[in-house]
Amino acid sequence: MKRLLLTLVVALSAIWAAMGQAPSYYRLIYNGGGQGEYIANTSINLQFTGCGFYSDYKLRSFMNADGSWCFLNPNDTDRGNTRINLLNDAVKALPDIGISTTGNTQFNKLILANINNYTGMHGFIGYGRNDDMVIESSRSNKFLRIASKGSIAFWAGMTSDTNDIPLVELQEGKSIFRNQVVFNSGNTIDLLTLKNGRFGDATISTVNNKMLRFGGGSFGFWTDGNTDENDSPQFKVSATNVSSSLPIDVTTGGVRTVMRKHPDRNVAWLGTTSSNDLEIGVSNNTVGVIGTDGNLYWGFNGLQTGSSIRAELRSKYSMFVKKGILAADYAIAPVSSWADYVFEDSYRLRPLSEVKKYVDDNGHLPDVPSAAQVATEGYSQHDMNETLLRKVEELTLYILQQQKEIDELRSRLGE
């Protein structure tokens, strides 16, 4: 009924205006009541022209001459002329304002559409599934643009009125997350989490033994903070290789293995920095061991190096090969000991009778290791070469002595 009365009032106003007799305000009366409801020309007591709408003798809203409509908060206590004039100035200061309010506005759904070029609903703000709050853009291939000259911030837990530290803050050039970021598969299982972890360390973690996959070109890792200053990461993974300008340090169960440049020399270095052997293997089997004693054991596994070779041999030699060595040639480094001293006058050549007695008693030549000794201790190739050469030179001396005796006998027989 009020709508009908309002329409009638507006129609009469138009008639009276055409006649040049329009009143300054119109009262809305129903069954003798409603003295406080009326429409008045704002220029009666305000500094702008428009229509003021009153109830209970209070200005509730106004529409200025530009067609902008302003609704006042029902609980506003200051409805004086000065404030209303300021409100109108504020409305006029912004372009294309159709409706404004000093109070809250309640909608079931706010439909967004370009009325000047209407092609359907472009989006809405309202309630969606399960009464969830929804902001939706309904046009395909169009952005949902949210812009701010400052930052865009998000709070959770209804705390935006009590603090200035949002959980998510979008700034120009960066986004700040003050809580963990969780990637969920949609079945309530958190697959990946980005967060501040133990001791405040940045942490990326997965669950259920899932792989953390990185794809694309190459991946670079800087530890000097110069990601924006150079293109030389300390660690880089590409489609063809993995490179590192830092030492590769692997520590497991107290065993520390390091691959790096030697700290004092311009050479590569691979080894352990803990008191552990370094084993070399193929097909998951050990084929060689560099022991903590500095020796190389080839053909041995890690358990055999300390038990199958006697300590005195491990202290005497640096390399042990279980199956032997096959080579077209090999050389022995220069050493000072050789058997030329046999030909010196001071050398004592055993009499053959002494040699015979030693062989009868021991079953091998003097200064030559026995078969049993070689079976248990092995022998030095250099020492054996030197020993065999010494025996050849001794044989030469024996032959020369015998030849001398033969020549003397022939001389006697010839006389």
Side-chain angles (χ1 to χ4, degrees), residues 352-366:
L352 288 175
S353 59
E354 182 179 329
V355 174
K356 181 179 183 304
K357 184 178 186 309
Y358 186 92
V359 171
D360 292 341
D361 293 341
N362 297 281
H364 60 88
L365 289 172

Side-chain angles (χ1 to χ4, degrees), residues 6 20 69 136-137 163 169 247 281 336 369:
L6 179 59
W69 203 311
E136 180 179 296
S137 174
N163 69 74
E169 184 176 355
S336 60

